[in-house]
Amino acid sequence: MYRYDEYDQAAVDARVEEFRDQVNRRISGAMSEDQFKPLRLMNGLYLQLHAYMLRVAVPYGTLDGRQMHMLAHIARKYDKGYGHFTTRQNIQYNWIKLDQAADILAELATVEMHAIQTSGNCIRNISSDQFAGAAADEVEDPRPWAELLRQWSTFHPEFSYLPRKFKIAVIGADQDRAAMRLHDIGLQLYRNDAGEVGFRLFAGGGMGRTPMIAPVIRDWLPKQDLLSYVEACLRVYNRHGRRDNIYKARIKILVHEIGAAEYARQVEEEWAHVKTLGLDPPAAEFERIAAFFAPPAYEAGVPDTVDLSDPDFRLWVDQNVSAHKQPGYAVVTISLKPREGIPGDASADQIDVMADLAERYAHNELRVTHAQNIVLPHTPKRDLYAIWQALDAAGLATPNLDLISDIIACPGLDYCALANARSIPLAQKIAGRFADLDRQRDLGEIKLKISGGINACGHHHAGHIGILGVDRKGEENYQLLFGGSGAEDASLAKIVGPGFSEDGVVDAIEKATDVYLANRTEGERFLDTYRRVGMAPFKEAIYG
Amino acid sequence: MGDPDQSDLGGEPRLRFRDDEPHEEPAVTLDAFFGQTNATAVRLESDEDARALIPHIGQLALVEVAFPTFRDGRGYSAARILREAGYTGELRAQGDVLVDQIPLMRRCGFDAFAPQADIDRKALDRALGRQPYASQKAADAAVPVWRRRHG
Ligand code: SF4
């Protein structure tokens, strides 16, 4: 894991003092709320329906036990004893007081954490593959590049007042676990025919009210040119992105309106100039950062087999444990989607339990996934049973990874000022309807994603089954969508038909799963069957 | 440097980080500039292309970049483009320019400011002195952290 040096620490410490100063100027009246708003947003502080919400950055979703314990401490001391892990691979606290926000940032700074640029029209927290460094299918660990981008984008003087927010994802495998092509810029490390590793760069993806899958802008980008090239991408966007309408201000609209080829041409022209400015760090800096992400000190000779005689344990291993590239090791995903729970929520005690397990068994590392779960990336198989028992005792052993009850849901109308409808109670209803685990396992992988409003924080466009909350004449109403994917087979979900009440949408999903069961062929997931047979049979069963 | 108590003298910069004398000639619009070959001061609106000035930077002593609202960040790119092209004259940010934007503007190459509302000079001094290091190379003299790390 990356560790701060004196320069990184100084930047974060200075930021805390800056924010304290800004809050004081706001409270004294020297600054208007309109002037203060972008400043607090760039420190992750939102004004929600009931209180301030603070979004803390977990850069590329990676953190250690000490940092995880700090998140628990903040939940206890400044919130109501829990935190909410989000689709941005971050954590949000929903009950924050303005006059305590700077103190929280100061506490975070003691463990090399911050809330810098977790909101606002700037370059946001960089996202990445939650299995980075552990996945068997990985070409290279993408996180050194994510860290490089984090440092470059921090307080970027030219790109702090962009037309709109800007999200970058970096992955290093063929399998896309980070919804990379639904980001403003997506970067994929791959090996070319000459055996070198470099980037393929995508730009113009995003969700929101006009979802787009990012097209390729540059098929091959040498690693050492990453920063100058991304700088050129951003400059073209900052100058030419629309500023007349916030719903058309994301880079996806620019790329769509002028076309990917024309955008790429402008970027190349800009880069020809930018490349000469000496913005790219020397190889020594890449190596310095990469050294922090060296593989952990794996134990030699740990057994590669697991005793699965306990049936409940076996179920959990089957569902929530994935292959690791190192023999004797496994990747554990801790589901934050217990029955009746709130997707992504964890209590302070649960956060401490996960931190302890990482420290004790799993090379002191954790990841936050965009599906709102937590990963222990480097776990000896020998310790899986002990880990499972500890998780089970803490209510964290739900064996439902990627099943229909592993629902992504945004905070919705229970918290969010921009919401049209609630998403949490709906997620709970759906999980309740499909409570039977055998039934869930029979249905197999179904990625169900719920957004309470048009901003699509719940990634409904990328759901095998997506749900969008809308406001219909003052009533909460839900649109149902099928066929989305945020993975390497990225696609955007399509609306099935007229919307439903909360109960109606649960019934409709159940009917859709019946259609799937009746039509599937061997090995087909819900998504595959839908893609093969099309919308018609589903529509007929639901509305017929 | 500009006197913080100085009142707004109609476009005169109120904050100046240059040692030379303030430029006397009023800035003309980009259209007027191209119609009048000997102008030495020009004003760039936020939707105008800074690159159009590059062939003429040798004759320019003042470029004023408009910030109609502090949320409009195009002027940051305009400033860098001009500095990267070698422009050394006064680069002035005019309009909705606020305390917490000025440190970023300085890094993009602005060296004079004509904010439309009063600036609290003490708050500005604190803001300008805040960050000891720069994470990235920009248009100012700040040394990026990666160069400090590796010499
Ligand atoms: S999708 Fe809408 S309701 Fe949900 S968190 Fe985002 S803005 Fe709020």
Side-chain angles (χ1 to χ4, degrees):
Chain A
M1 264 193 57
Y2 187 74
R3 296 301 306 260
Y4 284 4
D5 66 5
E6 58 182 300
Y7 303 117
D8 298 306
Q9 190 65 49
V12 170
D13 290 343
R15 180 66 156 199
V16 173
E17 288 321 305
E18 176 182 66
F19 186 61
R20 215 182 273 288
D21 190 323
Q22 290 165 346
V23 171
N24 289 341
R25 280 186 279 141
R26 171 70 195 112
I27 290 172
S28 78
M31 229 193 302
S32 70
E33 176 56 23
D34 185 50
Q35 294 171 343
F36 179 57
K37 187 176 170 188
L39 304 176
R40 67 166 161 75
L41 288 178
M42 278 190 258
N43 286 288
L45 200 64
Y46 279 77
L47 190 53
Q48 296 282 60
L49 285 176
H50 314 290
Y52 281 97
M53 178 272 273
L54 179 70
R55 182 183 292 150
V56 175
V58 180
Y60 34 92
T62 294
L63 73 173
D64 65 13
R66 182 181 62 132
Q67 294 171 323
M68 193 75 164
H69 280 305
M70 176 56 80
L71 297 182
H73 165 73
I74 288 167
R76 253 183 222 110
K77 184 165 169 191
Y78 301 98
D79 200 285
K80 295 185 172 179
Y82 54 91
H84 177 72
F85 291 96
T86 80
T87 51
R88 303 155 197 266
Q89 297 182 286
N90 283 340
I91 185 169
Q92 294 178 184
Y93 297 101
N94 283 315
W95 303 96
I96 297 302
K97 296 185 183 70
L98 178 59
D99 60 1
Q100 294 186 328
D103 294 337
I104 300 175
L105 298 185
E107 295 223 41
L108 287 168
T110 66
V111 295
E112 304 175 22
M113 294 187 89
H114 59 73
I116 294 165
Q117 290 168 214
T118 55
S119 182
N121 294 334
C122 52
I123 303 167
R124 301 287 190 88
N125 188 36
I126 313 293
S127 34
S128 188
D129 183 350
Q130 69 268 19
F131 289 0
D137 65 332
E138 185 168 275
V139 176
E140 241 176 50
D141 191 335
R143 291 173 302 158
W145 305 99
E147 172 60 27
L148 188 74
L149 287 163
R150 181 192 75 81
Q151 295 189 26
W152 161 81
S153 61
T154 299
F155 319 137
H156 197 294
E158 188 177 340
F159 306 135
S160 291
Y161 291 88
L162 294 168
R164 202 74 176 83
K165 60 186 165 186
F166 202 93
K167 300 182 187 176
I168 302 177
V170 196
I171 66 171
D174 288 338
Q175 245 187 298
D176 180 2
R177 285 167 284 258
M180 180 269 293
R181 292 184 69 190
L182 293 163
H183 284 73
D184 296 281
I185 284 183
L187 289 156
Q188 181 178 21
L189 282 165
Y190 75 105
R191 196 178 300 280
N192 69 7
D193 293 339
E196 302 156 319
V197 176
F199 292 103
R200 184 174 284 130
L201 185 142
F202 302 81
M207 304 212 212
R209 68 176 64 201
T210 320
M212 303 260 183
I213 293 171
V216 176
I217 297 301
R218 200 172 216 268
D219 197 51
W220 176 257
L221 180 66
K223 286 170 170 179
Q224 65 271 18
D225 295 329
L226 177 66
L227 293 192
S228 56
Y229 200 84
V230 173
E231 180 117 356
C233 290
L234 263 298
R235 182 174 284 176
V236 171
Y237 167 57
N238 190 43
R239 299 186 73 213
H240 302 300
R242 287 180 60 174
R243 290 175 186 266
D244 58 327
N245 177 342
I246 70 157
Y247 299 116
K248 297 190 188 297
R250 294 285 291 270
I251 191 178
K252 62 191 173 187
I253 303 293
L254 174 68
V255 172
H256 183 71
E257 284 181 352
I258 67 176
E262 172 58 16
Y263 174 72
R265 190 195 63 74
Q266 293 187 19
V267 170
E268 290 292 325
E269 194 176 285
E270 188 68 49
W271 186 54
H273 157 69
V274 168
K275 181 61 196 163
T276 64
L277 301 173
L279 305 182
D280 290 300
E285 177 66 353
F286 303 143
E287 287 155 18
R288 184 190 74 89
I289 294 175
F292 287 104
F293 297 94
Y298 297 120
E299 279 175 66
V302 278
D304 202 38
T305 52
V306 182
D307 176 359
L308 296 172
S309 51
D310 180 332
D312 288 337
F313 173 59
R314 182 193 189 108
L315 213 54
W316 177 78
V317 170
D318 255 21
Q319 204 61 50
N320 288 37
V321 176
S322 316
H324 195 287
K325 62 183 172 192
Q326 177 75 9
Y329 279 76
V331 182
V332 168
T333 301
I334 302 169
S335 167
L336 298 183
K337 319 292 174 63
R339 173 95 202 273
E340 329 246 287
I342 295 175
D345 268 22
S347 70
D349 291 347
Q350 288 177 321
I351 296 172
D352 276 333
V353 166
M354 294 186 275
D356 286 338
L357 291 173
E359 285 171 340
R360 176 150 178 216
Y361 297 110
H363 292 279
N364 194 22
E365 221 183 292
L366 304 110
R367 310 284 171 79
V368 182
T369 83
H370 83 269
Q372 303 179 280
N373 293 316
I374 301 293
V375 166
L376 301 176
H378 307 298
T379 314
K381 288 186 179 172
R382 176 193 60 209
D383 300 320
L384 284 174
Y385 193 68
I387 289 171
W388 173 74
Q389 286 179 307
L391 289 174
D392 197 32
L396 289 167
T398 314
N400 64 347
L401 180 65
D402 293 338
L403 299 179
I404 196 167
S405 65
D406 181 12
I407 296 169
I408 292 182
C410 78
L413 199 52
D414 290 296
Y415 296 99
C416 178
L418 303 171
N420 291 320
R422 289 169 300 163
S423 24
I424 293 166
L426 176 58
Q428 290 166 332
K429 260 193 190 161
I430 295 167
R433 179 73 63 93
F434 292 92
D436 180 48
L437 192 64
D438 289 336
R439 183 178 181 201
Q440 286 189 49
R441 284 168 60 84
D442 182 39
L443 290 172
E445 180 183 301
I446 296 182
K447 302 209 174 185
L448 197 152
K449 311 189 183 198
I450 308 173
S451 303
I454 196 78
N455 277 3
C457 303
H459 293 190
H460 65 276
H461 298 297
H464 298 180
I465 298 176
I467 300 172
L468 167 64
V470 292
D471 177 271
R472 218 185 51 184
K473 301 188 192 103
E475 298 254 314
E476 290 168 80
N477 192 264
Y478 295 93
Q479 270 177 6
L480 186 60
L481 302 90
F482 293 150
S485 169
E488 59 283 1
D489 60 350
S491 58
L492 298 172
K494 290 200 171 61
I495 295 175
V496 179
F500 302 91
S501 67
E502 190 175 283
D503 287 320
V505 80
V506 184
D507 292 338
I509 290 168
E510 192 163 34
K511 285 178 189 153
T513 59
D514 290 341
V515 172
Y516 159 64
L517 291 175
N519 286 277
R520 70 175 166 191
T521 59
E522 183 67 31
E524 260 187 355
R525 302 170 299 167
F526 176 90
L527 178 65
D528 304 320
T529 303
Y530 166 82
R531 283 176 174 168
R532 182 172 52 79
V533 305
M535 187 70 91
F538 290 95
K539 225 173 158 160
E540 201 182 298
I542 292 169
Y543 297 101
Chain B
M1 249 181 235
D3 178 353
D5 299 324
Q6 197 180 342
S7 59
D8 191 346
L9 301 175
E12 279 296 297
R14 292 198 289 173
L15 295 162
R16 215 159 170 276
F17 297 82
R18 299 176 63 91
D19 295 331
D20 57 355
E21 286 300 307
H23 194 67
E24 297 295 338
E25 194 188 322
V28 301
T29 65
L30 195 62
D31 279 350
F33 176 76
F34 288 122
Q36 140 192 11
T37 48
N38 57 354
T40 57
V42 66
R43 175 181 166 89
L44 202 62
E45 301 302 331
S46 67
D47 60 350
E48 289 175 337
D49 183 5
R51 289 232 153 83
L53 290 174
I54 290 178
H56 313 280
I57 50 176
Q59 82 183 60
L60 284 168
L62 168 67
V63 178
E64 181 176 276
V65 178
F67 284 83
T69 120
F70 70 83
R71 293 170 194 277
D72 186 341
R74 286 175 284 194
Y76 296 88
S77 289
R80 281 194 68 177
I81 285 167
L82 291 170
R83 289 300 188 210
E84 287 164 9
Y87 174 65
T88 56
E90 179 173 328
L91 191 51
R92 184 190 299 170
Q94 186 282 326
D96 195 8
V97 172
L98 306 172
V99 168
D100 296 280
Q101 277 86 45
I102 290 177
L104 301 171
M105 291 176 169
R106 291 284 291 130
R107 293 216 61 213
C108 288
F110 285 107
D111 54 12
F113 301 89
Q116 81 207 359
D118 285 338
I119 291 278
D120 173 346
R121 190 55 195 255
K122 285 206 184 88
L124 176 62
D125 286 344
R126 289 197 301 274
L128 284 170
R130 189 89 58 189
Q131 281 295 342
Y133 309 112
S135 304
Q136 61 296 96
K137 194 168 183 298
D140 59 349
V143 177
V145 285
W146 44 261
R147 183 158 303 142
R148 291 178 188 272
R149 285 170 179 144
H150 303 286

